[in-house]
Amino acid sequence: MAIRQQAPGQGPQAESRPEAEGGLRKPRFLTRSEMEVPAFVRPEQLAEEGFDYERDLGDPGEYPFTRGIHPTMYRGRLWTMREFAGFGDAAATNRRFHYLLEQGQTGLSVAFDFPTLLGYDSDAPVAEGEVGRMGVAVDTLADMERLFEGIPLDRVSTSMTINGPAMILFAMYLALARKRGIPFDRLNGTIQNDILKEYTAQKTYIFPIRPSLKIITDIMAYASEEVPRWNTISISGYHIREAGATAVQELAFTLADGFTYVEEGIKAGLDVDRFAPRLSFFWDIHLNFFEEIAKIRAARRIWAREMRERFGARNPRSWTMRFHSQTAGVSLTAQQPEVNIVRTAFEALAAVLAGTQSLHTNSFDEALALPTEEAVRLALRTQQVIAEEIGVADTVDPLAGSYYVEWLTNRMERAAYDYFRRIEAVGGVVAGIEKGFFQREIADAAYRQQLRLQSGEEVVVGVNKYVLEEEQPPRILRIDPAVEREQVERLRRVRAERDPRAVAEALERLERTAREGGNLMPALVEAASVYASEGEMADALRSVYGVYREEPVF
Amino acid sequence: MTRPLRVLVAKPGLDRHDRGAKVIARALRDAGMEVIYTGLHQTPAEIVAAAVQEDVDLVGLSILSGAHMTLVPRVIQGLREAGAGDIPVVVGGIIPPEDAEELKKAGVLEVFGPGSSTEAIVDFVRREIGGRVNALG
């Protein structure tokens, strides 16, 4: 197969030797946040900024946790290897879960289909064609039972990417645990439940902003009493970044969302040290290696400082920015997809060097479809090589003290604070969403990046450089269209076999609780237990809260 | 005298991935076209109604949710039923090659996959749609 050059300005002469000014290979060197990269950083530059080891870094496990949240990090325990999985029906996804655990995965992560993510049952008219396509379809507790069949809920931690209807899926999980006789305080896991970034980036909201925030404080209050080891919000930069944000925007917008949840919790009368230790984060680890590591180190330092100084948290566990990482989905290419294995490995290495607590590595075929079993195994093996073959897990934060990394960490931190001031100037996070501030910032960054790709300033191997004339597409995972019909039939059977009076009463109680402003969680767990469907529970709440419609910005 | 092309960029179904649709909408606008972006969560019927009401020269559908084989044919069918079967439809997103072939047989003018450059898409629209519109006068 022949290699041809595609983008203008990428011809052979541009490739030969440096002709740019000063003999450099390009006119400017930028990170993905469009930050100018220096040729090298001298010790005096850090000294001028007053760099102080104890104040700015501290040892691992010590405030401000720049070097990591545990003193021993991966010498004690490796990160949790957690591949995001879900497709078709609950039985198909359950088989994938078992396969991944057999292959050495150490935690579960559930991907739901769009109807589930948006609070619709599989037989809703809008769900047609979408059931089981982008994730697994879950309508009732019966699907949860099949999804986690043979999986010990008290021994495996489960992460669920669910936001608008997070409280409903959480309630189904709790109902399942209760049915199996597992006490709630033995459950470990995470619901994403980060609604603020839904309005700005991922868009799987249901209700307007205010009631959504009220629901989140309900979950925090309930879980801090009943499910104390559960991570109630995974404050996510991932989707903000995937929607087009730069690393700096991801850092700043995500932390600002985090501060907003803390403020909401405090406003609702909760003790910050009761709920803050259960807040965790989720970052996108993209290709600019050092920038990603600097982003995470800056995030740990900022979170620790703000939690201690601004919010008065006294429990050191409230100060630590624990996080999950995923390699960047947007960095995957449909062209020469096997190159994605290499990209993902570098991103995963950055996540580990940045001190992640858990990690999803993308499969190489994910720009084309949901991953095949072989592709996801290779993604998991990538983590296992990093963990057990190359020695990076044997020492903590080996990049600390690198002049460039510390300099860049300081730059990321400063740039985040610049954004915090701009967010404050628009009236805070909620006002910023209402005014479209974040949406515009993200759309602008996405467009600027597209222009850099087009000009060839940003190289994507196999897409705008080193292109192959002809490619053989890999075998991809196909979802059988029969899945939808079978799921709808299954849901109808559950509806026919459950106790209709118990369901009606549970839904009525849910609606009444919502109307009266009480904590929704107990009513949701009851409704889930009697096999009320997700769509029925969501509809009961829609009738009280209404739905959110966004103003499209481009 | 040529008038600017009018393009409807739409997100059918429950798909929430709107980065690509917005980038394309802006690229077409920057190329001098009039762009109407529907926003998320549009049913095929709503898209057809918007296309007819706005009297567009082209409908661009963005789908990354895997529901394209259900939703795209409905938009095409709907346009035909509304007497607007002459409005061409293009699709962008994650569409496996064999599905792309089938969609083209069903009446889709072109399918743009991941990594398509906006320049190439703008050129395509100018050439294919601009040519038609101006030939009609």
Side-chain angles (χ1 to χ4, degrees), chain A residues 114-115 118 120 126-130 133-134 201-205 241-244 330 334-335 366-369 443-444 446-447 449-450 454 463 473 476 478 550 552-554, chain B residues 12-19 22-23 25-27 29-30 35-41 43 64-68 70-71 74 94 96-99 114-119:
Chain A
F114 268 115
L118 294 165
Y120 296 112
V126 290
E128 208 184 335
E130 315 257 14
R133 293 263 168 198
M134 287 285 296
Q202 187 166 241
K203 311 285 174 77
T204 60
Y205 42 69
R241 187 69 178 279
E242 293 283 304
V330 281
Q335 293 76 6
E366 288 192 74
L368 304 158
D444 286 349
Y447 195 57
Q449 199 219 347
Q450 183 65 34
Q454 223 108 266
V463 175
I476 58 168
R478 310 260 349 185
E550 78 163 7
V553 175
F554 74 91
Chain B
L14 301 183
D15 186 17
R16 290 309 200 248
H17 301 94
D18 59 0
R19 177 181 182 160
K22 289 164 147 190
V23 165
R26 200 186 287 203
R29 188 184 66 189
D30 285 0
V35 178
I36 300 117
Y37 171 53
T38 62
L40 298 168
H41 206 123
T43 63
L64 294 84
S65 72
H68 46 270
T70 304
L71 296 169
R74 295 225 174 133
I94 300 198
E98 51 286 19
D99 291 359
S116 302
S117 87
T118 52
E119 268 169 359

Coordinates of all heavy atoms in Angstrom, one line a residue, chain A residues 114-115 118 120 126-130 133-134 201-205 241-244 330 334-335 366-369 443-444 446-447 449-450 454 463 473 476 478 550 552-554, chain B residues 12-19 22-23 25-27 29-30 35-41 43 64-68 70-71 74 94 96-99 114-119:
Chain A
F114 N -28.7 4.7 25.0 CA -29.2 6.0 25.1 C -30.6 6.1 25.8 O -30.8 7.0 26.6 CB -29.3 6.7 23.7 CG -28.0 7.5 23.5 CD1 -27.1 7.2 22.5 CD2 -27.7 8.6 24.3 CE1 -26.0 7.9 22.2 CE2 -26.6 9.4 24.0 CZ -25.7 9.0 23.0
P115 N -31.5 5.2 25.5 CA -32.8 5.3 26.2 C -32.6 5.2 27.7 O -33.2 6.0 28.4 CB -33.6 4.1 25.7 CG -33.0 3.9 24.3 CD -31.6 4.2 24.4
L118 N -31.3 8.4 29.2 CA -32.2 9.6 29.1 C -33.5 9.3 29.9 O -34.4 10.1 29.8 CB -32.4 10.0 27.7 CG -31.1 10.5 27.0 CD1 -31.3 10.5 25.5 CD2 -30.8 11.9 27.5
Y120 N -35.8 6.7 29.5 CA -36.9 6.2 28.7 C -36.8 4.6 28.7 O -35.7 4.0 28.7 CB -36.8 6.6 27.2 CG -36.9 8.0 27.0 CD1 -35.8 8.8 26.5 CD2 -38.1 8.7 27.2 CE1 -35.9 10.1 26.3 CE2 -38.2 10.1 26.9 CZ -37.1 10.8 26.5 OH -37.2 12.1 26.2
V126 N -39.5 7.1 21.3 CA -38.2 7.7 20.9 C -37.1 6.7 21.0 O -36.0 7.0 20.6 CB -37.9 8.9 21.9 CG1 -38.8 10.1 21.5 CG2 -38.0 8.5 23.3
A127 N -37.3 5.6 21.7 CA -36.2 4.6 21.8 C -36.0 3.7 20.6 O -35.0 3.0 20.5 CB -36.5 3.7 23.1
E128 N -36.9 3.8 19.7 CA -36.8 2.9 18.5 C -35.5 3.1 17.8 O -35.1 4.2 17.4 CB -38.0 3.2 17.6 CG -38.4 2.0 16.8 CD -39.5 2.3 15.8 OE1 -40.2 3.2 16.0 OE2 -39.5 1.5 14.8
G129 N -34.8 1.9 17.6 CA -33.6 2.0 16.8 C -32.4 2.2 17.7 O -31.2 2.1 17.3
E130 N -32.6 2.5 19.0 CA -31.5 2.9 19.9 C -31.2 1.9 21.0 O -30.3 2.0 21.7 CB -31.8 4.2 20.6 CG -32.4 5.3 19.7 CD -31.4 6.4 19.3 OE1 -30.2 6.2 19.6 OE2 -31.8 7.4 18.8
R133 N -27.8 -0.2 21.6 CA -26.8 0.1 20.5 C -25.5 0.7 21.1 O -24.4 0.3 20.6 CB -27.4 1.2 19.6 CG -28.6 0.6 18.8 CD -28.1 0.2 17.4 NE -29.1 -0.6 16.7 CZ -28.8 -1.3 15.7 NH1 -27.6 -1.4 15.2 NH2 -29.8 -2.0 15.1
M134 N -25.6 1.7 22.0 CA -24.4 2.3 22.5 C -24.1 1.8 23.9 O -23.1 2.3 24.5 CB -24.7 3.8 22.6 CG -24.7 4.5 21.3 SD -23.1 4.7 20.6 CE -22.4 5.8 21.8
A201 N -21.8 19.6 28.3 CA -21.0 18.7 27.4 C -21.7 17.4 27.0 O -21.9 17.1 25.8 CB -19.6 18.4 28.0
Q202 N -22.0 16.6 28.0 CA -22.5 15.2 27.6 C -23.9 15.2 27.2 O -24.4 14.3 26.5 CB -22.2 14.2 28.7 CG -22.5 12.8 28.3 CD -21.9 11.7 29.2 OE1 -21.1 10.9 28.8 NE2 -22.3 11.7 30.4
K203 N -24.7 16.1 27.8 CA -26.1 16.3 27.3 C -27.1 15.2 27.7 O -28.2 15.2 27.2 CB -26.2 16.6 25.8 CG -25.2 17.7 25.3 CD -25.6 19.1 25.7 CE -24.6 20.1 25.3 NZ -24.5 20.5 23.9
T204 N -26.8 14.3 28.6 CA -27.8 13.3 29.0 C -28.5 13.8 30.3 O -28.6 13.1 31.3 CB -27.2 11.9 29.2 OG1 -26.2 12.0 30.3 CG2 -26.6 11.4 28.0
Y205 N -29.0 15.0 30.2 CA -29.8 15.6 31.3 C -31.3 15.1 31.1 O -31.7 14.7 30.0 CB -29.8 17.1 31.3 CG -29.8 17.7 29.9 CD1 -31.0 17.7 29.1 CD2 -28.7 18.3 29.3 CE1 -31.0 18.1 27.9 CE2 -28.7 18.8 28.0 CZ -29.9 18.7 27.3 OH -30.0 19.1 26.0
R241 N -14.0 17.5 27.8 CA -12.8 17.4 26.9 C -13.2 16.8 25.6 O -12.8 17.3 24.5 CB -11.7 16.6 27.6 CG -10.4 16.6 26.8 CD -9.8 17.9 26.9 NE -8.5 18.0 26.2 CZ -7.3 17.6 26.7 NH1 -7.3 17.0 27.9 NH2 -6.2 17.7 26.0
E242 N -14.0 15.8 25.6 CA -14.4 15.1 24.4 C -15.2 16.0 23.5 O -15.2 15.9 22.3 CB -15.1 13.8 24.7 CG -14.3 12.7 25.4 CD -13.3 12.0 24.4 OE1 -13.8 11.5 23.4 OE2 -12.1 12.0 24.7
A243 N -16.0 16.9 24.2 CA -16.9 17.8 23.4 C -16.0 18.9 22.8 O -16.6 19.7 22.0 CB -17.9 18.4 24.3
G244 N -14.7 19.0 23.1 CA -13.9 19.9 22.4 C -13.0 20.8 23.2 O -12.2 21.6 22.7
V330 N -11.6 10.8 21.7 CA -11.5 11.7 20.5 C -10.1 11.6 19.8 O -10.0 12.0 18.7 CB -11.7 13.2 20.7 CG1 -13.1 13.5 20.9 CG2 -10.9 13.7 21.9
A334 N -10.4 6.4 12.8 CA -11.0 5.3 12.1 C -10.0 4.9 11.0 O -10.1 3.7 10.6 CB -12.3 5.8 11.4
Q335 N -9.1 5.7 10.6 CA -8.1 5.4 9.6 C -6.9 4.7 10.3 O -6.5 5.1 11.4 CB -7.6 6.7 9.0 CG -8.6 7.4 8.1 CD -9.6 8.2 8.9 OE1 -9.5 8.3 10.1 NE2 -10.6 8.7 8.2
E366 N -12.6 1.6 18.6 CA -13.7 2.4 19.1 C -14.1 3.6 18.3 O -15.1 4.3 18.6 CB -13.5 2.7 20.6 CG -13.7 1.4 21.4 CD -13.8 1.7 22.9 OE1 -14.8 2.2 23.3 OE2 -12.8 1.5 23.6
A367 N -13.3 4.0 17.3 CA -13.8 5.0 16.4 C -14.7 4.5 15.4 O -15.3 5.2 14.6 CB -12.6 5.7 15.7
L368 N -14.9 3.2 15.4 CA -15.7 2.5 14.4 C -17.0 1.9 15.0 O -18.0 1.9 14.3 CB -14.9 1.4 13.7 CG -13.6 1.8 13.0 CD1 -12.7 0.6 12.8 CD2 -13.9 2.5 11.7
A369 N -16.9 1.4 16.2 CA -18.0 0.7 16.8 C -17.7 0.5 18.3 O -16.6 0.8 18.7 CB -18.2 -0.6 16.1
A443 N -17.3 25.0 22.3 CA -17.6 24.9 20.8 C -16.4 25.7 20.1 O -16.0 25.3 19.0 CB -18.9 25.5 20.5
D444 N -16.0 26.8 20.7 CA -15.0 27.6 20.1 C -13.7 26.8 20.0 O -12.9 26.8 19.0 CB -14.7 28.9 20.8 CG -15.8 29.9 20.6 OD1 -16.6 29.7 19.7 OD2 -15.9 30.9 21.4
A446 N -13.3 23.6 20.1 CA -13.4 22.5 19.2 C -13.2 22.9 17.7 O -12.5 22.3 16.9 CB -14.8 21.8 19.3
Y447 N -13.7 24.1 17.4 CA -13.6 24.6 16.1 C -12.1 25.0 15.8 O -11.6 24.8 14.7 CB -14.5 25.8 15.8 CG -14.7 26.1 14.4 CD1 -15.1 25.1 13.5 CD2 -14.4 27.4 13.9 CE1 -15.3 25.4 12.1 CE2 -14.6 27.7 12.5 CZ -15.0 26.7 11.7 OH -15.1 27.0 10.3
Q449 N -9.5 23.8 17.1 CA -8.7 22.5 16.9 C -9.0 22.0 15.5 O -8.0 21.5 14.9 CB -9.1 21.5 18.0 CG -8.0 20.4 18.1 CD -8.5 19.0 18.3 OE1 -9.7 18.8 18.6 NE2 -7.6 18.1 18.1
Q450 N -10.2 22.0 15.0 CA -10.5 21.5 13.7 C -9.7 22.3 12.6 O -9.2 21.7 11.7 CB -12.0 21.7 13.4 CG -12.4 21.1 12.1 CD -12.3 19.6 11.9 OE1 -12.4 18.9 12.9 NE2 -11.9 19.2 10.7
Q454 N -6.9 21.0 10.0 CA -7.1 21.2 8.6 C -5.8 21.8 8.0 O -5.4 21.5 6.9 CB -8.2 22.2 8.4 CG -9.1 21.8 7.2 CD -10.4 21.3 7.8 OE1 -10.6 20.1 7.9 NE2 -11.3 22.1 8.0
V463 N -4.4 10.3 9.3 CA -5.6 11.1 8.9 C -5.2 12.3 8.0 O -5.7 12.5 6.9 CB -6.4 11.5 10.1 CG1 -7.5 12.4 9.7 CG2 -6.9 10.3 10.8
P473 N -10.8 -2.4 6.5 CA -11.4 -2.1 7.8 C -11.4 -3.4 8.6 O -11.5 -4.5 8.1 CB -12.8 -1.7 7.4 CG -13.1 -2.1 6.0 CD -11.7 -2.3 5.4
I476 N -15.7 -5.5 13.0 CA -16.3 -4.8 14.2 C -17.5 -5.5 14.8 O -18.0 -6.4 14.2 CB -16.8 -3.3 13.7 CG1 -17.8 -3.4 12.6 CG2 -15.6 -2.5 13.3 CD1 -18.5 -2.1 12.4
R478 N -21.1 -6.0 15.8 CA -22.4 -5.5 15.3 C -23.5 -5.9 16.3 O -23.5 -7.0 16.9 CB -22.8 -6.2 14.0 CG -21.7 -6.1 12.9 CD -21.8 -5.0 11.9 NE -23.1 -4.3 11.8 CZ -23.3 -3.5 10.8 NH1 -22.4 -3.2 9.9 NH2 -24.5 -2.8 10.8
E550 N -32.3 22.6 25.8 CA -31.1 23.5 25.7 C -31.3 24.4 24.5 O -32.0 24.1 23.5 CB -29.8 22.7 25.5 CG -29.6 22.2 24.2 CD -28.1 21.7 23.9 OE1 -27.3 21.8 24.9 OE2 -27.8 21.4 22.8
P552 N -29.6 25.6 21.4 CA -28.5 25.1 20.6 C -27.5 26.3 20.3 O -27.9 27.3 19.8 CB -29.0 24.5 19.4 CG -30.5 24.7 19.4 CD -30.9 25.5 20.6
V553 N -26.2 26.0 20.6 CA -25.1 27.0 20.3 C -24.2 26.3 19.4 O -23.8 25.2 19.6 CB -24.4 27.3 21.6 CG1 -23.2 28.2 21.4 CG2 -25.3 27.9 22.7
F554 N -23.7 27.0 18.3 CA -22.6 26.5 17.5 C -21.7 27.5 17.0 O -21.9 28.7 17.3 CB -23.2 25.6 16.3 CG -23.7 26.4 15.2 CD1 -22.9 26.8 14.1 CD2 -25.1 26.7 15.1 CE1 -23.5 27.5 13.0 CE2 -25.6 27.4 14.1 CZ -24.8 27.8 13.0
Chain B
P12 N -30.7 13.7 14.7 CA -31.9 12.8 15.0 C -31.8 11.9 16.1 O -30.6 11.4 16.4 CB -32.0 12.0 13.6 CG -30.8 12.2 12.9 CD -29.9 13.2 13.7
G13 N -32.9 11.6 16.8 CA -32.8 10.5 17.8 C -32.3 11.0 19.1 O -32.3 12.2 19.4
L14 N -31.8 10.0 19.9 CA -31.4 10.3 21.3 C -29.9 10.6 21.4 O -29.4 10.9 22.5 CB -31.7 9.1 22.2 CG -33.2 8.7 22.2 CD1 -33.4 7.5 23.2 CD2 -34.1 9.9 22.6
D15 N -29.2 10.5 20.3 CA -27.7 10.7 20.3 C -27.4 12.1 20.9 O -28.0 13.1 20.6 CB -27.2 10.7 18.8 CG -25.7 10.7 18.7 OD1 -25.0 10.5 19.7 OD2 -25.3 11.0 17.6
R16 N -26.4 12.1 21.7 CA -26.0 13.3 22.4 C -24.6 13.8 21.9 O -24.1 14.8 22.5 CB -26.0 13.2 23.9 CG -27.4 13.0 24.5 CD -28.2 14.1 24.0 NE -29.4 14.3 24.8 CZ -30.7 14.1 24.4 NH1 -30.9 13.5 23.3 NH2 -31.7 14.4 25.2
H17 N -24.0 13.2 21.0 CA -22.7 13.6 20.5 C -22.8 14.7 19.5 O -23.1 14.5 18.4 CB -21.9 12.4 19.9 CG -21.7 11.2 20.7 ND1 -22.6 10.2 20.8 CD2 -20.8 10.9 21.6 CE1 -22.2 9.3 21.6 NE2 -21.1 9.7 22.2
D18 N -22.7 16.0 20.0 CA -23.0 17.1 19.1 C -21.7 17.9 18.6 O -21.9 18.9 18.0 CB -24.0 18.0 19.7 CG -23.6 18.6 21.0 OD1 -22.5 18.3 21.5 OD2 -24.4 19.3 21.6
R19 N -20.6 17.4 19.0 CA -19.4 18.1 18.6 C -19.2 18.2 17.1 O -19.0 19.3 16.6 CB -18.1 17.4 19.2 CG -16.8 18.1 18.8 CD -15.6 17.3 19.4 NE -14.4 18.0 19.0 CZ -13.2 17.8 19.7 NH1 -13.2 17.0 20.7 NH2 -12.2 18.5 19.3
K22 N -21.8 20.5 15.3 CA -21.6 22.0 15.6 C -20.4 22.4 14.7 O -20.4 23.6 14.2 CB -21.3 22.2 17.0 CG -22.6 22.1 17.9 CD -22.2 22.0 19.3 CE -23.1 22.6 20.3 NZ -22.6 22.7 21.6
V23 N -19.3 21.6 14.7 CA -18.1 22.0 13.9 C -18.5 22.1 12.4 O -18.1 23.1 11.8 CB -17.0 21.0 14.1 CG1 -15.9 21.1 13.0 CG2 -16.4 21.1 15.5
A25 N -21.5 22.7 11.2 CA -22.4 23.9 11.1 C -21.6 25.1 11.0 O -21.9 26.0 10.1 CB -23.4 23.9 12.3
R26 N -20.6 25.3 11.8 CA -19.8 26.5 11.8 C -19.0 26.6 10.5 O -18.8 27.6 9.9 CB -18.9 26.6 13.0 CG -18.5 28.0 13.2 CD -17.5 28.2 14.3 NE -18.1 28.0 15.7 CZ -17.6 28.5 16.8 NH1 -16.4 29.2 16.7 NH2 -18.1 28.3 17.9
A27 N -18.4 25.4 10.1 CA -17.6 25.5 8.9 C -18.4 25.9 7.7 O -18.0 26.6 6.8 CB -17.0 24.1 8.7
R29 N -21.2 27.7 7.7 CA -21.5 29.1 7.9 C -20.3 30.0 7.5 O -20.5 31.0 6.8 CB -21.9 29.3 9.3 CG -22.4 30.8 9.6 CD -22.7 31.0 11.0 NE -21.5 31.0 11.8 CZ -21.4 31.0 13.1 NH1 -22.6 31.0 13.8 NH2 -20.3 31.0 13.8
D30 N -19.1 29.6 8.0 CA -17.9 30.3 7.6 C -17.6 30.3 6.1 O -16.9 31.2 5.6 CB -16.7 29.8 8.4 CG -16.7 30.2 9.9 OD1 -17.7 30.9 10.3 OD2 -15.8 29.9 10.6
V35 N -26.9 28.5 7.7 CA -27.0 27.2 8.4 C -28.1 27.3 9.5 O -28.1 28.2 10.3 CB -25.7 26.8 9.0 CG1 -25.8 25.5 9.8 CG2 -24.6 26.7 8.0
I36 N -29.0 26.3 9.5 CA -29.9 26.1 10.6 C -29.5 24.9 11.3 O -29.5 23.8 10.7 CB -31.4 26.0 10.0 CG1 -31.7 27.3 9.2 CG2 -32.4 25.8 11.2 CD1 -32.0 27.0 7.8
Y37 N -29.2 25.0 12.6 CA -28.9 23.8 13.4 C -30.1 23.5 14.4 O -30.5 24.4 15.1 CB -27.6 24.1 14.2 CG -27.3 23.0 15.3 CD1 -27.3 21.7 14.9 CD2 -27.1 23.3 16.6 CE1 -27.0 20.7 15.8 CE2 -26.8 22.4 17.5 CZ -26.8 21.0 17.1 OH -26.5 20.1 18.1
T38 N -30.6 22.3 14.3 CA -31.8 22.0 15.0 C -31.6 21.8 16.5 O -32.5 21.9 17.3 CB -32.4 20.6 14.6 OG1 -31.4 19.6 14.8 CG2 -32.7 20.6 13.1
G39 N -30.3 21.5 16.9 CA -30.1 21.1 18.3 C -30.4 19.6 18.4 O -30.7 18.9 17.4
L40 N -30.4 19.1 19.7 CA -30.5 17.7 20.0 C -32.0 17.2 19.9 O -32.9 18.0 19.9 CB -30.0 17.4 21.4 CG -28.5 17.7 21.6 CD1 -28.1 17.7 23.0 CD2 -27.6 16.8 20.8
H41 N -32.1 15.9 19.9 CA -33.4 15.2 20.2 C -34.4 15.5 19.2 O -35.6 15.9 19.6 CB -33.8 15.7 21.6 CG -34.7 14.7 22.3 ND1 -34.4 14.2 23.5 CD2 -35.9 14.2 21.9 CE1 -35.4 13.4 23.9 NE2 -36.3 13.3 22.9
T43 N -37.0 14.3 16.2 CA -37.6 13.1 15.6 C -37.4 13.3 14.1 O -37.3 14.4 13.6 CB -39.1 12.9 15.9 OG1 -39.7 14.1 15.4 CG2 -39.2 12.8 17.4
L64 N -24.1 9.4 15.7 CA -23.0 8.6 16.2 C -23.6 7.5 17.2 O -22.8 7.0 18.0 CB -22.0 9.4 16.9 CG -21.2 10.4 16.1 CD1 -21.9 11.7 15.9 CD2 -19.8 10.7 16.6
S65 N -24.9 7.3 17.2 CA -25.5 6.4 18.2 C -25.8 5.0 17.7 O -26.3 4.2 18.5 CB -26.8 7.1 18.6 OG -27.8 7.0 17.6
G66 N -25.5 4.8 16.4 CA -25.8 3.4 15.9 C -27.2 3.3 15.5 O -27.6 2.2 15.0
A67 N -28.0 4.3 15.6 CA -29.5 4.2 15.2 C -29.7 4.7 13.7 O -30.9 4.8 13.3 CB -30.3 5.0 16.2
H68 N -28.6 4.8 13.0 CA -28.8 5.4 11.6 C -29.7 4.6 10.7 O -30.4 5.1 9.9 CB -27.4 5.6 11.0 CG -26.5 4.4 11.1 ND1 -25.7 4.2 12.2 CD2 -26.4 3.3 10.3 CE1 -25.0 3.1 12.0 NE2 -25.4 2.5 10.9
T70 N -32.3 3.0 11.3 CA -33.7 3.3 11.7 C -34.1 4.7 11.3 O -35.2 4.9 10.7 CB -34.0 3.1 13.2 OG1 -33.6 1.8 13.5 CG2 -35.5 3.3 13.5
L71 N -33.3 5.6 11.7 CA -33.7 7.1 11.6 C -33.5 7.7 10.2 O -34.3 8.4 9.8 CB -32.9 7.9 12.6 CG -33.2 7.5 14.1 CD1 -32.2 8.1 15.1 CD2 -34.6 7.9 14.5
R74 N -36.2 7.1 7.6 CA -37.4 7.7 8.0 C -37.4 9.2 7.5 O -38.4 9.7 7.2 CB -37.6 7.7 9.5 CG -37.8 6.3 10.0 CD -39.0 6.2 10.9 NE -39.1 4.8 11.2 CZ -39.2 4.2 12.3 NH1 -39.3 5.0 13.4 NH2 -39.3 2.9 12.4
I94 N -20.6 7.9 12.8 CA -20.0 6.6 12.8 C -20.9 5.6 12.1 O -21.9 5.1 12.7 CB -19.7 6.2 14.2 CG1 -18.7 7.3 14.8 CG2 -19.0 4.8 14.3 CD1 -17.9 6.9 16.0
P96 N -20.8 2.2 9.7 CA -20.0 1.2 9.1 C -20.2 1.2 7.6 O -21.2 1.5 7.1 CB -20.6 -0.1 9.7 CG -21.2 0.3 11.0 CD -21.7 1.7 10.7
P97 N -19.1 0.8 6.8 CA -19.1 0.9 5.4 C -20.3 0.2 4.7 O -20.9 0.8 3.8 CB -17.8 0.2 4.9 CG -16.9 0.2 6.1 CD -17.8 0.3 7.3
E98 N -20.7 -1.0 5.2 CA -21.8 -1.7 4.5 C -23.1 -0.9 4.8 O -24.0 -0.9 3.9 CB -21.8 -3.1 4.9 CG -21.8 -3.6 6.3 CD -20.5 -3.5 7.1 OE1 -19.6 -2.8 6.7 OE2 -20.5 -4.2 8.1
D99 N -23.2 -0.3 5.9 CA -24.4 0.5 6.2 C -24.4 1.7 5.3 O -25.5 2.2 4.8 CB -24.5 1.0 7.7 CG -24.7 -0.2 8.6 OD1 -24.9 -1.3 8.1 OD2 -24.7 0.0 9.9
P114 N -15.7 9.4 10.3 CA -14.7 10.1 11.2 C -13.5 10.5 10.4 O -13.0 9.7 9.6 CB -14.4 9.1 12.2 CG -15.4 7.9 12.1 CD -15.9 8.0 10.7
G115 N -12.9 11.7 10.7 CA -11.7 12.1 10.1 C -11.9 12.9 8.8 O -11.0 13.4 8.2
S116 N -13.2 13.0 8.4 CA -13.5 13.8 7.2 C -13.1 15.2 7.5 O -13.4 15.8 8.5 CB -15.0 13.8 6.8 OG -15.4 12.5 6.6
S117 N -12.5 15.9 6.5 CA -12.1 17.3 6.7 C -13.3 18.2 6.4 O -14.1 17.9 5.5 CB -10.9 17.7 5.9 OG -11.3 18.1 4.7
T118 N -13.5 19.3 7.1 CA -14.6 20.2 6.9 C -14.4 20.8 5.5 O -15.4 21.2 4.8 CB -14.7 21.2 8.0 OG1 -13.5 21.9 8.2 CG2 -15.2 20.6 9.3
E119 N -13.1 21.0 5.1 CA -12.9 21.6 3.8 C -13.5 20.7 2.7 O -14.1 21.2 1.7 CB -11.4 21.7 3.5 CG -10.8 23.0 3.9 CD -9.2 22.9 3.9 OE1 -8.7 21.9 3.6 OE2 -8.6 24.0 4.2

